[in-house]
Amino acid sequence: SDALIELIKRQGVLRTQFRSLHGKPTQQLQSPDLVQFTLISEDLSNLSEQEVNDRLKRLAAESFQIEGEYLFRFRLLKVA
């Protein structure tokens, strides 16, 4: 998770949030110290290759609210 924190510090796009200001979308670049995230770990090692692929497709298809959320999600997947 330290590597992800360093990446967020260096890459402004990962600290960007979109908000509505007077009905218009605006970008807000957050200070690295204010960015909070959760690193979710998931063990897929007991699944078949097809089940892993299905899980990856479902994860990739998850939607998010562009207003107020960061433009990333981190997940650590164990496959072997």
Side-chain angles (χ1 to χ4, degrees):
S1 139
D2 288 341
L4 294 175
I5 292 169
E6 288 304 314
L7 182 64
I8 289 168
K9 284 180 181 178
R10 285 194 311 267
Q11 301 298 323
V13 69
L14 296 177
R15 299 188 318 259
T16 300
Q17 291 182 309
F18 291 91
R19 305 235 187 246
S20 180
L21 183 63
H22 307 295
K24 295 183 180 182
T26 61
Q27 287 180 273
Q28 289 185 324
L29 183 62
Q30 299 295 329
S31 165
D33 299 332
L34 297 177
V35 176
Q36 296 180 356
F37 67 93
T38 302
L39 178 60
I40 298 170
S41 280
E42 193 172 342
D43 186 354
L44 306 179
S45 61
N46 62 334
L47 300 180
S48 70
E49 184 176 349
Q50 183 61 50
E51 290 171 316
V52 169
N53 287 334
D54 290 345
R55 179 69 180 131
L56 293 174
K57 287 176 187 174
R58 283 193 305 275
L59 288 171
E62 285 181 1
S63 63
F64 63 95
Q65 293 291 328
I66 194 163
E67 186 173 346
E69 288 190 16
Y70 292 104
L71 303 177
F72 65 82
R73 289 190 183 132
F74 296 117
R75 189 173 297 250
L76 183 61
L77 303 173
K78 179 180 177 182
V79 294

